[in-house]
Every structure is written in C-alpha cells, then in structure tokens.
Amino acid sequence: EIVLVTGVQTCALPISNNMVDLEQAISAIQMAVRLIPSDHPNLPMLLSNLGNQHLLQFHETGNVDDLESAISKSRRAVELSPDHPAFLSNLGTHLQVRFERFNRSEDIEAAITTTRRAVKLTLKDDSSLPGRLNNLGCQIQCRFERMKRTEDLTEAIKTSREAIRLTPQNHIKIGRAHV
C-alpha cells in the first residue's frame, strides 16, 4: 500500500494492477500535493511518488501525457530536493522511458547524468545502490545501442557487473540481472 503523509492526515491506498486503483492513487496524491504547504518537507516525496504513479499509468495506457506528467512531477521533486538519490533515480528512469519511446538523444543523456548523480549520492552500504547501478548500466547500454560507441558498451558491462557484485546472493532479482 501507499501511505500518504500530509502533515494533517495519513491515507493508505492499495497497490494493484487495477486501473481504478491506480487512478484513485493518483487522485489522492494529487490532492495531498494541493493541500500540503509548498515548503513542507514531504512535498518532494509526494511529487516523486506521483511521478511514479503517472509512469505506471503510462505503461498501462500508452498515453504520452502520463509520461510527461511523470517527468514533470519527478523534475519538480528533484528541484525541491536536488541531493535525494531516490528522486534522482526516479527521474532518470522516467527519462529513459521517454528515450525508449521517442529515441531522442537528449533524454538518454539526461537520464545517464541524473542516474550517475543518484549513484554518486547513494551511500555505499545502501541496499538501493545495486538497483541504481543496474539502471545506470541499462541506460548506458541504451546509449550504446543508439550511438555504437565502444566505451559505452565497456562502461555498461562494468557498471552492470558492479551492480551484480553488490547484490546479495539470495536477492530475488539476482537472476534477472543483465550482463
């Protein structure tokens, strides 16, 4: 479930593959964003979560407006909290999705730059580091596939191997890693 904390109330929403649930989650987070003071410390988190929900909606509907909303909300979260690795990582992922949809080089460049920053700001013992490294490796691989630069392939392999090395052996996603 998603827990929204607005400083006034907490709202728990179930997560499912149901579009109605997704639309309700988006509506609830949008309401929280409207109600929360603009200087509230939870605003960036709400915006980042809203961006993630819009991305899920984009994957369900294919509506580009949902993807643009995901990027817009995630950018705003990063503007408000520029050194938060999770918000940076989310934005990098959203930009990668737009690259995959429209094949614009500026999107993959921005995704790589943003995700590199997320990796750099992630503590070495943070359990999110392998996933962020994996995302970065995938983004660099995307750029390699478009630009065919050998140094991108080399870096993508190196980054993905580091992600695997840092992933605990019993981790559920270890079998899904790409190298």
Side-chain angles (χ1 to χ4, degrees):
E1 65 183 22
I2 299 172
V3 178
L4 303 179
V5 181
T6 64
V8 177
Q9 67 181 28
T10 299
C11 175
L13 301 168
I15 294 180
S16 73
N17 292 329
N18 183 325
M19 279 299 293
V20 172
D21 289 343
L22 183 57
E23 289 168 3
Q24 288 176 346
I26 289 171
S27 292
I29 300 170
Q30 286 172 330
M31 183 185 327
V33 167
R34 280 192 306 272
L35 294 174
I36 199 168
S38 62
D39 61 347
H40 195 284
N42 286 343
L43 181 58
M45 177 201 58
L46 288 169
L47 289 166
S48 188
N49 288 343
L50 183 56
N52 290 339
Q53 297 304 308
H54 278 294
L55 187 66
L56 289 173
Q57 191 169 43
F58 166 73
H59 285 305
E60 291 295 321
T61 67
N63 184 340
V64 175
D65 290 340
D66 293 324
L67 177 57
E68 294 302 328
S69 290
I71 292 169
S72 171
K73 301 308 183 224
S74 293
R75 270 193 216 276
R76 184 69 183 131
V78 168
E79 288 169 5
L80 293 172
S81 191
D83 294 330
H84 197 292
F87 303 159
L88 287 160
S89 182
N90 290 341
L91 177 57
T93 298
H94 300 167
L95 290 165
Q96 178 185 354
V97 170
R98 187 166 70 183
F99 168 76
E100 290 168 353
R101 176 69 185 258
F102 296 109
N103 202 29
R104 295 188 306 222
S105 61
E106 62 268 18
D107 286 330
I108 198 62
E109 295 300 332
I112 290 169
T113 299
T114 302
T115 304
R116 275 191 209 285
R117 182 158 167 73
V119 167
K120 182 179 179 183
L121 291 169
T122 302
L123 299 174
K124 299 303 174 205
D125 62 346
D126 188 321
S127 63
S128 299
L129 183 57
R132 291 182 185 139
L133 283 165
N134 184 64
N135 290 346
L136 179 59
C138 290
Q139 291 163 358
I140 296 167
Q141 179 182 341
C142 284
R143 185 170 68 185
F144 166 75
E145 290 168 359
R146 182 171 197 263
M147 308 289 285
K148 304 298 185 212
R149 295 187 324 206
T150 306
E151 61 270 18
D152 282 339
L153 180 58
T154 301
E155 185 180 2
I157 291 170
K158 179 182 173 190
T159 303
S160 296
R161 284 185 174 155
E162 181 66 4
I164 292 169
R165 186 185 73 74
L166 293 174
T167 303
Q169 287 300 315
N170 61 348
H171 194 278
I172 191 167
K173 293 184 180 180
I174 194 72
R176 297 183 202 162
H178 301 96
V179 176

